[in-house]
PDB file of all heavy atoms in Angstrom:
ATOM      1  N   ASP A 351     -22.463 -39.620  26.124  1.00  0.00           N
ATOM      2  CA  ASP A 351     -21.345 -40.483  25.689  1.00  0.00           C
ATOM      3  C   ASP A 351     -20.905 -41.494  26.719  1.00  0.00           C
ATOM      4  O   ASP A 351     -20.445 -42.579  26.393  1.00  0.00           O
ATOM      5  CB  ASP A 351     -20.127 -39.591  25.307  1.00  0.00           C
ATOM      6  CG  ASP A 351     -20.337 -38.877  23.961  1.00  0.00           C
ATOM      7  OD1 ASP A 351     -21.096 -39.413  23.109  1.00  0.00           O
ATOM      8  OD2 ASP A 351     -19.708 -37.851  23.737  1.00  0.00           O
ATOM      9  N   SER A 352     -21.034 -41.139  27.985  1.00  0.00           N
ATOM     10  CA  SER A 352     -20.632 -42.092  29.026  1.00  0.00           C
ATOM     11  C   SER A 352     -21.544 -43.306  29.026  1.00  0.00           C
ATOM     12  O   SER A 352     -21.064 -44.429  29.226  1.00  0.00           O
ATOM     13  CB  SER A 352     -20.648 -41.430  30.402  1.00  0.00           C
ATOM     14  OG  SER A 352     -22.005 -40.911  30.702  1.00  0.00           O
ATOM     15  N   LEU A 354     -23.306 -44.265  26.251  1.00  0.00           N
ATOM     16  CA  LEU A 354     -23.079 -44.911  24.992  1.00  0.00           C
ATOM     17  C   LEU A 354     -21.832 -45.784  25.030  1.00  0.00           C
ATOM     18  O   LEU A 354     -21.852 -46.901  24.560  1.00  0.00           O
ATOM     19  CB  LEU A 354     -22.887 -43.869  23.915  1.00  0.00           C
ATOM     20  CG  LEU A 354     -22.552 -44.386  22.491  1.00  0.00           C
ATOM     21  CD1 LEU A 354     -23.667 -45.295  21.991  1.00  0.00           C
ATOM     22  CD2 LEU A 354     -22.318 -43.189  21.522  1.00  0.00           C
ATOM     23  N   GLY A 355     -20.801 -45.305  25.693  1.00  0.00           N
ATOM     24  CA  GLY A 355     -19.535 -46.082  25.786  1.00  0.00           C
ATOM     25  C   GLY A 355     -19.742 -47.386  26.518  1.00  0.00           C
ATOM     26  O   GLY A 355     -19.206 -48.434  26.129  1.00  0.00           O
ATOM     27  N   THR A 356     -20.498 -47.360  27.617  1.00  0.00           N
ATOM     28  CA  THR A 356     -20.736 -48.603  28.369  1.00  0.00           C
ATOM     29  C   THR A 356     -21.686 -49.541  27.601  1.00  0.00           C
ATOM     30  O   THR A 356     -21.490 -50.771  27.664  1.00  0.00           O
ATOM     31  CB  THR A 356     -21.336 -48.295  29.757  1.00  0.00           C
ATOM     32  OG1 THR A 356     -22.569 -47.510  29.605  1.00  0.00           O
ATOM     33  CG2 THR A 356     -20.364 -47.520  30.596  1.00  0.00           C
ATOM     34  N   GLU A 358     -21.846 -49.742  24.316  1.00  0.00           N
ATOM     35  CA  GLU A 358     -21.016 -50.375  23.268  1.00  0.00           C
ATOM     36  C   GLU A 358     -20.123 -51.464  23.844  1.00  0.00           C
ATOM     37  O   GLU A 358     -19.923 -52.517  23.211  1.00  0.00           O
ATOM     38  CB  GLU A 358     -20.152 -49.268  22.630  1.00  0.00           C
ATOM     39  CG  GLU A 358     -20.924 -48.314  21.755  1.00  0.00           C
ATOM     40  CD  GLU A 358     -20.159 -47.183  21.246  1.00  0.00           C
ATOM     41  OE1 GLU A 358     -19.278 -46.650  21.992  1.00  0.00           O
ATOM     42  OE2 GLU A 358     -20.339 -46.780  20.088  1.00  0.00           O
ATOM     43  N   ALA A 359     -19.588 -51.250  25.057  1.00  0.00           N
ATOM     44  CA  ALA A 359     -18.760 -52.272  25.688  1.00  0.00           C
ATOM     45  C   ALA A 359     -19.559 -53.552  25.934  1.00  0.00           C
ATOM     46  O   ALA A 359     -19.055 -54.657  25.663  1.00  0.00           O
ATOM     47  CB  ALA A 359     -18.197 -51.765  27.006  1.00  0.00           C
ATOM     48  N   ARG A 360     -20.787 -53.444  26.377  1.00  0.00           N
ATOM     49  CA  ARG A 360     -21.636 -54.590  26.591  1.00  0.00           C
ATOM     50  C   ARG A 360     -21.888 -55.376  25.287  1.00  0.00           C
ATOM     51  O   ARG A 360     -21.774 -56.560  25.242  1.00  0.00           O
ATOM     52  CB  ARG A 360     -22.974 -54.191  27.191  1.00  0.00           C
ATOM     53  CG  ARG A 360     -22.902 -53.652  28.601  1.00  0.00           C
ATOM     54  CD  ARG A 360     -24.320 -53.434  29.191  1.00  0.00           C
ATOM     55  NE  ARG A 360     -24.231 -52.792  30.455  1.00  0.00           N
ATOM     56  CZ  ARG A 360     -24.464 -51.488  30.668  1.00  0.00           C
ATOM     57  NH1 ARG A 360     -24.791 -50.741  29.642  1.00  0.00           N
ATOM     58  NH2 ARG A 360     -24.337 -50.963  31.836  1.00  0.00           N
ATOM     59  N   PHE A 362     -20.235 -55.177  22.336  1.00  0.00           N
ATOM     60  CA  PHE A 362     -19.045 -55.703  21.654  1.00  0.00           C
ATOM     61  C   PHE A 362     -18.565 -56.976  22.358  1.00  0.00           C
ATOM     62  O   PHE A 362     -18.213 -57.938  21.671  1.00  0.00           O
ATOM     63  CB  PHE A 362     -17.958 -54.666  21.709  1.00  0.00           C
ATOM     64  CG  PHE A 362     -18.264 -53.423  20.914  1.00  0.00           C
ATOM     65  CD1 PHE A 362     -17.419 -52.317  20.988  1.00  0.00           C
ATOM     66  CD2 PHE A 362     -19.411 -53.282  20.171  1.00  0.00           C
ATOM     67  CE1 PHE A 362     -17.683 -51.139  20.313  1.00  0.00           C
ATOM     68  CE2 PHE A 362     -19.716 -52.085  19.474  1.00  0.00           C
ATOM     69  CZ  PHE A 362     -18.842 -51.042  19.544  1.00  0.00           C
ATOM     70  N   ILE A 370      -9.756 -55.497  21.001  1.00  0.00           N
ATOM     71  CA  ILE A 370     -10.120 -54.295  20.193  1.00  0.00           C
ATOM     72  C   ILE A 370      -9.007 -53.256  20.168  1.00  0.00           C
ATOM     73  O   ILE A 370      -8.404 -52.961  21.213  1.00  0.00           O
ATOM     74  CB  ILE A 370     -11.414 -53.679  20.765  1.00  0.00           C
ATOM     75  CG1 ILE A 370     -12.607 -54.549  20.468  1.00  0.00           C
ATOM     76  CG2 ILE A 370     -11.647 -52.283  20.203  1.00  0.00           C
ATOM     77  CD1 ILE A 370     -13.952 -54.011  20.896  1.00  0.00           C
ATOM     78  N   ILE A 372      -8.229 -49.294  19.168  1.00  0.00           N
ATOM     79  CA  ILE A 372      -9.031 -48.059  19.159  1.00  0.00           C
ATOM     80  C   ILE A 372      -8.242 -46.945  18.520  1.00  0.00           C
ATOM     81  O   ILE A 372      -7.100 -46.668  18.854  1.00  0.00           O
ATOM     82  CB  ILE A 372      -9.440 -47.636  20.588  1.00  0.00           C
ATOM     83  CG1 ILE A 372     -10.267 -48.720  21.314  1.00  0.00           C
ATOM     84  CG2 ILE A 372     -10.249 -46.309  20.593  1.00  0.00           C
ATOM     85  CD1 ILE A 372     -10.637 -48.417  22.719  1.00  0.00           C
ATOM     86  N   GLY A 382     -13.783 -38.544  25.682  1.00  0.00           N
ATOM     87  CA  GLY A 382     -14.913 -38.878  26.592  1.00  0.00           C
ATOM     88  C   GLY A 382     -15.440 -40.255  26.309  1.00  0.00           C
ATOM     89  O   GLY A 382     -15.682 -41.083  27.218  1.00  0.00           O
ATOM     90  N   LEU A 383     -15.605 -40.609  25.012  1.00  0.00           N
ATOM     91  CA  LEU A 383     -16.190 -41.873  24.646  1.00  0.00           C
ATOM     92  C   LEU A 383     -15.184 -42.989  24.977  1.00  0.00           C
ATOM     93  O   LEU A 383     -15.563 -44.069  25.525  1.00  0.00           O
ATOM     94  CB  LEU A 383     -16.501 -41.895  23.160  1.00  0.00           C
ATOM     95  CG  LEU A 383     -17.304 -43.096  22.651  1.00  0.00           C
ATOM     96  CD1 LEU A 383     -18.586 -43.312  23.491  1.00  0.00           C
ATOM     97  CD2 LEU A 383     -17.638 -42.893  21.156  1.00  0.00           C
ATOM     98  N   VAL A 384     -13.942 -42.760  24.682  1.00  0.00           N
ATOM     99  CA  VAL A 384     -12.900 -43.775  25.019  1.00  0.00           C
ATOM    100  C   VAL A 384     -12.806 -43.977  26.524  1.00  0.00           C
ATOM    101  O   VAL A 384     -12.707 -45.134  26.990  1.00  0.00           O
ATOM    102  CB  VAL A 384     -11.490 -43.306  24.433  1.00  0.00           C
ATOM    103  CG1 VAL A 384     -10.403 -44.171  25.050  1.00  0.00           C
ATOM    104  CG2 VAL A 384     -11.479 -43.421  22.929  1.00  0.00           C
ATOM    105  N   GLY A 385     -12.928 -42.862  27.258  1.00  0.00           N
ATOM    106  CA  GLY A 385     -12.801 -42.937  28.726  1.00  0.00           C
ATOM    107  C   GLY A 385     -13.895 -43.760  29.370  1.00  0.00           C
ATOM    108  O   GLY A 385     -13.732 -44.410  30.417  1.00  0.00           O
ATOM    109  N   SER A 386     -15.088 -43.733  28.780  1.00  0.00           N
ATOM    110  CA  SER A 386     -16.207 -44.553  29.311  1.00  0.00           C
ATOM    111  C   SER A 386     -16.190 -46.002  28.790  1.00  0.00           C
ATOM    112  O   SER A 386     -16.546 -46.908  29.485  1.00  0.00           O
ATOM    113  CB  SER A 386     -17.557 -43.903  28.982  1.00  0.00           C
ATOM    114  OG  SER A 386     -17.770 -43.818  27.577  1.00  0.00           O
ATOM    115  N   PHE A 387     -15.709 -46.160  27.527  1.00  0.00           N
ATOM    116  CA  PHE A 387     -15.773 -47.489  26.907  1.00  0.00           C
ATOM    117  C   PHE A 387     -14.730 -48.432  27.497  1.00  0.00           C
ATOM    118  O   PHE A 387     -15.047 -49.561  27.837  1.00  0.00           O
ATOM    119  CB  PHE A 387     -15.504 -47.321  25.428  1.00  0.00           C
ATOM    120  CG  PHE A 387     -15.299 -48.675  24.720  1.00  0.00           C
ATOM    121  CD1 PHE A 387     -16.410 -49.448  24.357  1.00  0.00           C
ATOM    122  CD2 PHE A 387     -14.005 -49.137  24.421  1.00  0.00           C
ATOM    123  CE1 PHE A 387     -16.241 -50.639  23.737  1.00  0.00           C
ATOM    124  CE2 PHE A 387     -13.861 -50.358  23.766  1.00  0.00           C
ATOM    125  CZ  PHE A 387     -14.930 -51.122  23.464  1.00  0.00           C
ATOM    126  N   ILE A 388     -13.492 -47.996  27.671  1.00  0.00           N
ATOM    127  CA  ILE A 388     -12.424 -48.908  28.048  1.00  0.00           C
ATOM    128  C   ILE A 388     -12.668 -49.602  29.375  1.00  0.00           C
ATOM    129  O   ILE A 388     -12.575 -50.829  29.509  1.00  0.00           O
ATOM    130  CB  ILE A 388     -11.049 -48.156  28.025  1.00  0.00           C
ATOM    131  CG1 ILE A 388     -10.670 -47.883  26.567  1.00  0.00           C
ATOM    132  CG2 ILE A 388      -9.991 -48.984  28.760  1.00  0.00           C
ATOM    133  CD1 ILE A 388      -9.351 -47.154  26.424  1.00  0.00           C
ATOM    134  N   PRO A 389     -12.972 -48.887  30.483  1.00  0.00           N
ATOM    135  CA  PRO A 389     -13.190 -49.618  31.752  1.00  0.00           C
ATOM    136  C   PRO A 389     -14.363 -50.554  31.678  1.00  0.00           C
ATOM    137  O   PRO A 389     -14.332 -51.660  32.277  1.00  0.00           O
ATOM    138  CB  PRO A 389     -13.429 -48.467  32.783  1.00  0.00           C
ATOM    139  CG  PRO A 389     -13.765 -47.255  32.017  1.00  0.00           C
ATOM    140  CD  PRO A 389     -13.027 -47.403  30.664  1.00  0.00           C
ATOM    141  N   ALA A 390     -15.414 -50.180  30.971  1.00  0.00           N
ATOM    142  CA  ALA A 390     -16.583 -51.046  30.866  1.00  0.00           C
ATOM    143  C   ALA A 390     -16.235 -52.269  30.055  1.00  0.00           C
ATOM    144  O   ALA A 390     -16.728 -53.389  30.344  1.00  0.00           O
ATOM    145  CB  ALA A 390     -17.757 -50.291  30.238  1.00  0.00           C
ATOM    146  N   PHE A 391     -15.424 -52.150  28.999  1.00  0.00           N
ATOM    147  CA  PHE A 391     -15.055 -53.225  28.179  1.00  0.00           C
ATOM    148  C   PHE A 391     -14.136 -54.195  28.948  1.00  0.00           C
ATOM    149  O   PHE A 391     -14.313 -55.429  28.868  1.00  0.00           O
ATOM    150  CB  PHE A 391     -14.377 -52.719  26.950  1.00  0.00           C
ATOM    151  CG  PHE A 391     -14.074 -53.764  25.882  1.00  0.00           C
ATOM    152  CD1 PHE A 391     -15.105 -54.488  25.280  1.00  0.00           C
ATOM    153  CD2 PHE A 391     -12.739 -54.022  25.520  1.00  0.00           C
ATOM    154  CE1 PHE A 391     -14.797 -55.460  24.295  1.00  0.00           C
ATOM    155  CE2 PHE A 391     -12.460 -54.989  24.537  1.00  0.00           C
ATOM    156  CZ  PHE A 391     -13.514 -55.699  24.004  1.00  0.00           C
ATOM    157  N   ARG A 392     -13.190 -53.655  29.643  1.00  0.00           N
ATOM    158  CA  ARG A 392     -12.273 -54.472  30.423  1.00  0.00           C
ATOM    159  C   ARG A 392     -13.017 -55.246  31.577  1.00  0.00           C
ATOM    160  O   ARG A 392     -12.687 -56.386  31.857  1.00  0.00           O
ATOM    161  CB  ARG A 392     -11.147 -53.614  30.997  1.00  0.00           C
ATOM    162  CG  ARG A 392     -10.097 -53.161  29.972  1.00  0.00           C
ATOM    163  CD  ARG A 392      -9.106 -52.222  30.557  1.00  0.00           C
ATOM    164  NE  ARG A 392      -8.062 -51.954  29.577  1.00  0.00           N
ATOM    165  CZ  ARG A 392      -7.174 -50.918  29.722  1.00  0.00           C
ATOM    166  NH1 ARG A 392      -7.291 -50.065  30.751  1.00  0.00           N
ATOM    167  NH2 ARG A 392      -6.269 -50.745  28.777  1.00  0.00           N
ATOM    168  N   VAL A 398      -8.050 -54.119  25.360  1.00  0.00           N
ATOM    169  CA  VAL A 398      -7.752 -53.088  24.396  1.00  0.00           C
ATOM    170  C   VAL A 398      -6.293 -53.251  23.918  1.00  0.00           C
ATOM    171  O   VAL A 398      -5.391 -52.974  24.732  1.00  0.00           O
ATOM    172  CB  VAL A 398      -7.969 -51.691  25.017  1.00  0.00           C
ATOM    173  CG1 VAL A 398      -7.556 -50.579  24.026  1.00  0.00           C
ATOM    174  CG2 VAL A 398      -9.415 -51.533  25.437  1.00  0.00           C
ATOM    175  N   PHE A 427     -12.080 -50.172  16.464  1.00  0.00           N
ATOM    176  CA  PHE A 427     -13.098 -49.191  16.840  1.00  0.00           C
ATOM    177  C   PHE A 427     -12.509 -47.829  16.488  1.00  0.00           C
ATOM    178  O   PHE A 427     -11.578 -47.331  17.078  1.00  0.00           O
ATOM    179  CB  PHE A 427     -13.332 -49.307  18.328  1.00  0.00           C
ATOM    180  CG  PHE A 427     -14.481 -48.516  18.813  1.00  0.00           C
ATOM    181  CD1 PHE A 427     -15.422 -47.904  17.976  1.00  0.00           C
ATOM    182  CD2 PHE A 427     -14.688 -48.381  20.194  1.00  0.00           C
ATOM    183  CE1 PHE A 427     -16.479 -47.173  18.445  1.00  0.00           C
ATOM    184  CE2 PHE A 427     -15.750 -47.645  20.739  1.00  0.00           C
ATOM    185  CZ  PHE A 427     -16.663 -47.053  19.841  1.00  0.00           C
TER     186      PHE A 427
END
Side-chain angles (χ1 to χ4, degrees):
D351 284 337
S352 60
L354 177 61
T356 56
E358 289 175 321
R360 292 187 186 101
F362 298 172
I370 289 185
I372 301 176
L383 190 54
V384 168
S386 63
F387 172 81
I388 289 179
F391 186 62
R392 287 174 172 166
V398 177
F427 189 12

